[in-house]
Amino acid sequence: MKPADYHDLLAEVLIPAEELQARIAELAVEIDRDYRDRDLLLICILRGGVMFLTDLMRRLTVPHAIDFMALASYGAGARTSSGQVRITLDLVTSIADRDVLIIEDIIDSGHTMASVMDFLRTRQPRSLEVCTLLDKAERREVHVPIRYRGFVIPNRFVFGYGLDLDEYYRNLPFVGVVRSGPD
Ligand code: IMP
Ligand code: MG
């Protein structure tokens, strides 16, 4: 079935494109400073992290490599996290002795990121940090050490700028709140 026009699904724009870009530029300045003399490898969590990764990369001046990982959570609906995560696409790069920075779209309960960090630590990177665009802080169930954070957002389901609604609308340049209930 043809997906709806996003206007039919959007309750409100939560973070406009200009705000996203301005904040990403600030994060890039911090990362540039912190990784000046390091061997930076950005690991993007597919698919939601893609927009954030590419905009961040364009702002970074520090030399860096990139790689990708994809995950699926066991059980549970598409909009919740079961706490159990499975790797569906693994890295191509060896991370041993590299300075790894994980690039994620959103941290909600924290289960996904906590599992990813446990998994990556077994490969002995020199350092391992997390950079998330969005942080639904009030939903956290397990602690995640977030080194770089774009925005703390309220507990509402969001889409756009990498985040999908049933795989569509990742291309929107802003983060929007999903309209709830029948319209
Ligand atoms: P966690 O394991 O509960 O932290 O869930 C993190 C994952 O849930 C993210 O990587 C997203 O894929 C998904 N997620 C959580 N909240 C949202 C949302 O508001 N919109 C879209 N995806 C979300
Ligand atoms: Mg995700």
Side-chain angles (χ1 to χ4, degrees):
M1 206 179 74
K2 186 173 173 290
D5 186 292
Y6 80 82
H7 293 96
D8 298 338
L9 305 163
L10 182 68
E12 61 174 298
V13 173
L14 185 67
I15 311 173
E18 311 73 59
E19 270 181 50
L20 288 170
Q21 296 304 324
R23 182 71 187 120
I24 290 166
E26 291 176 351
L27 292 173
V29 169
E30 282 186 54
I31 295 167
D32 270 344
R33 188 191 56 217
D34 296 348
Y35 287 88
R36 202 179 316 146
D37 300 310
R38 319 272 287 278
D39 178 19
L40 177 60
L41 172 65
L42 303 177
I43 294 183
C44 176
I45 308 299
L46 294 175
R47 291 177 283 262
V50 164
M51 295 280 267
F52 181 33
L53 173 78
T54 56
D55 282 340
L56 183 66
M57 286 175 70
R58 276 179 274 223
R59 300 281 188 174
L60 289 175
T61 61
V62 72
H64 59 278
I66 61 170
D67 203 347
F68 299 88
M69 263 177 94
L71 314 160
S73 45
Y74 290 107
R79 295 187 183 187
T80 54
S81 188
S82 61
Q84 286 248 304
V85 172
R86 180 168 55 93
I87 310 288
T88 56
L89 177 75
D90 202 347
L91 303 171
V92 173
T93 317
S94 164
I95 63 168
D97 269 331
R98 311 282 305 266
D99 292 303
V100 172
L101 180 58
I102 304 170
I103 306 294
E104 175 67 301
D105 52 357
I106 186 166
I107 299 181
D108 187 26
S109 70
H111 287 294
T112 304
M113 189 52 66
S115 305
V116 170
M117 291 190 84
D118 286 346
F119 173 76
L120 291 179
R121 259 190 220 104
T122 65
R123 296 182 178 177
Q124 298 172 335
R126 184 187 303 139
S127 63
L128 182 65
E129 302 287 354
V130 175
C131 175
T132 186
L133 181 67
L134 307 175
D135 178 7
K136 267 191 203 174
E138 67 187 75
R139 292 258 304 167
R140 201 64 27 83
E141 290 171 15
V142 292
H143 173 71
V144 175
I146 302 175
R147 182 77 175 79
Y148 308 95
R149 156 194 297 107
F151 301 86
V152 174
I153 64 165
N155 180 19
R156 305 178 71 186
F157 203 80
V158 293
F159 72 118
Y161 199 75
L163 297 113
D164 69 305
L165 278 184
D166 300 327
E167 289 304 325
Y168 292 98
Y169 318 111
R170 295 186 193 273
N171 59 304
L172 299 177
F174 55 83
V175 173
V177 176
V178 182
R179 178 179 286 179
S180 56
D183 42 25

